[in-house]
Structures are given as structure tokens and as C-alpha cells.
Amino acid sequence: MTTIALFGAGGKMGYRLSTNFRSSPYTIRHVEVSEAGRERLKTGLGFDAVSADEALKDADVVILAVPDTHIGKVAESIESKLAPGTMVVVLDAAAPFAGHLPKRPDLTYFVTHPCHPPIFNDETDMAAKKDFFGGVKAKQHFVSALMQGPEEHYAKGEEIARIIWAPVMRSHRVTVEQMALLEPGLSETVCASLLVVMKEALDEVVARGVDRQAALDFLLGHMNVLGAVIFGETKGVFSDGCNKAIEFGKPVLMRDDWKRVFEPEEIAASIRRIT
């Protein structure tokens, strides 16, 4: 029986994990320092939080479900209590990439992160359609990296990750460096920024007199069909007018050197800002 010490068990992410682990084959020891989090665990799931020392005793796996800015401090505080061979699971690449985990070559570091439910999906249940984050009703893919440790530990970490992010579809193996390219690079620096620009564009056409609901319906519908064509979800081609608009619009909206956000120094700087 694998014993898991779950740190931050009553927090935003930790509570999700605590919920998903209820029917798992693992023994879970819940660690939560905040009174609100401890009460949430007890009231919502019927679990009592334990001390870090109690949770770490003979633990096989330690999951740090705490904010990126706290991972280094929490890891440092428990380092001396981790036996050789212990697997430490982190739910985001930022802190590991930034070097905030203890220099302990005798520990296994496993990093995993959800892709979140895809825009193009086969969900038919309304609760699943409304589960935008994932890990409750909607199916999602996830990525994982074995940062250090014996190769056989990857399968062990992936098995745990499948429960953490359930219900799941595809599991992708990447490196920590590749995960950092995906986030913050692809998902936040690029995708989130462009979505914010689209929201600002929506506000602009509304300010110029278009009914807000009409503008929103128009934008979201076009995001659906344009995205389906661009990403190969359906066969189709754009009109000559659309292609001309893209040809003109892209250089107006984007700097010529925008892909520099994926350069190693830019990724490192972005991660430094959030950790």
C-alpha cells in the first residue's frame, strides 16, 4: 500500500486532489496549515488534517499541492525528513524549472500538469460541459515529466497523476524544460495574452456601438469555426477576404520577433516573475 503525504490538502488545488483520492488504492495523509482549509477538509470530505511529521513518517510519495511561490519553502522545511527514494510530486513546472527543489539526488522528482478539457470535445453531459477546469466531470489530457529518479518511477508517478487529473484521456511524457515551454510559454504568455486582446477587441466594438450580446455571440461563434479550421478539427479553407484580413492583421497585431518568448532566457525570466 503506497502512502502519500498530501501538502496543501485543503487548498484550492489540494481539495480537488483530496476529493479524487477518496476512491484510490492509496493511503492519504492530509496536511493543511490553514484553519479554513482544515475545516473545509473536515466538513466537505470528512478528513482530519495531520501534522507534517505524522504525514511524512514512512511516506512513499509527497505531493506539494501548494502555490508556486511556496513550493521552495515547503520543500526546504521537509527535506531532512524525506527518506532516500521518496517521490516528490509537484503540480507545475515553474518551481522545479527555477531550481527551488532541494539538491537531493536520492529523491525522485515527478512533475505533472493538466491540459484542461479541450475546446473541441465529445462531452454530452451538461455538468461535464461546464467543468472548464477539469478533474471533476470533464475528461482531459495531462503532461508529466520525470525530472530525476529511476526510470521505473515514471510509471508510478503517472499512475498517481491519472487519479489526480481524472477523468483523463491521453497522458503525454515531456521534460521539465518542455513543460515550461508549454506553461508559461504557450498557454499563458501567448494564448492567455491573445485571449485578453480578443476581449479588449470585443469591448472596443461595443464601445463603437455594437450590441454587446451580438458582438459576443459573433466572436465566440467565429472562434469556434475558425479554430476548427486552423487546428484541423474540420476540413475547410478560409475565404479570400479572410486570408487577406489575416495577411494584413497579423503584422499589425504582432511584433516580428514575437517568437522570442520561447527562447530559454525569456522562459526563465517569466518563471522567475511567478516564483
Side-chain angles (χ1 to χ4, degrees), residues 29-190:
R29 297 173 183 164
H30 305 84
V31 180
E32 176 56 54
V33 297
S34 77
E35 189 58 41
R38 295 167 73 92
E39 179 60 30
R40 188 181 184 203
L41 270 178
K42 182 64 175 179
T43 303
L45 300 175
F47 297 142
D48 290 312
V50 300
S51 68
D53 288 346
E54 184 177 348
L56 291 172
K57 186 177 181 181
D58 301 321
D60 305 289
V61 177
V62 176
I63 300 178
L64 301 180
V66 299
D68 291 332
T69 52
H70 290 62
I71 286 177
K73 295 177 182 178
V74 174
E76 182 181 4
S77 71
I78 65 174
E79 176 189 359
S80 63
K81 302 165 187 174
L82 300 178
T86 301
M87 174 181 287
V88 178
V89 177
V90 183
L91 308 179
D92 189 283
F97 183 92
H100 293 327
L101 295 179
K103 301 296 187 280
R104 282 279 303 274
D106 59 336
L107 298 176
T108 291
Y109 290 152
F110 186 87
V111 187
T112 185
H113 195 77
C115 296
H116 303 299
I119 292 176
F120 305 115
N121 59 68
D122 60 358
E123 302 291 359
T124 57
D125 178 68
M126 187 53 66
K129 283 179 173 291
K130 292 294 185 179
D131 179 17
F132 301 112
F133 187 91
V136 180
K137 295 289 186 180
K139 301 184 293 293
Q140 64 180 335
H141 314 295
F142 67 95
V143 296
S144 301
L146 182 64
M147 184 175 182
Q148 68 176 47
E151 176 59 28
E152 58 267 24
H153 277 192
Y154 181 82
K156 178 180 179 180
E158 185 185 42
E159 182 180 324
I160 293 171
R162 285 185 177 276
I163 294 175
I164 289 175
W165 309 125
V168 300
M169 294 180 284
R170 288 188 291 270
S171 167
H172 301 283
R173 183 170 184 175
V174 297
T175 66
V176 170
E177 291 74 21
Q178 289 170 339
M179 200 180 295
L181 284 171
L182 295 174
E183 186 165 306
L186 181 62
S187 62
E188 295 175 342
T189 305
V190 176

Side-chain angles (χ1 to χ4, degrees), residues 233-246:
E233 286 293 321
T234 188
K235 292 182 179 179
V237 294
F238 293 154
S239 67
D240 290 343
C242 182
N243 285 327
K244 283 291 185 182
I246 294 171

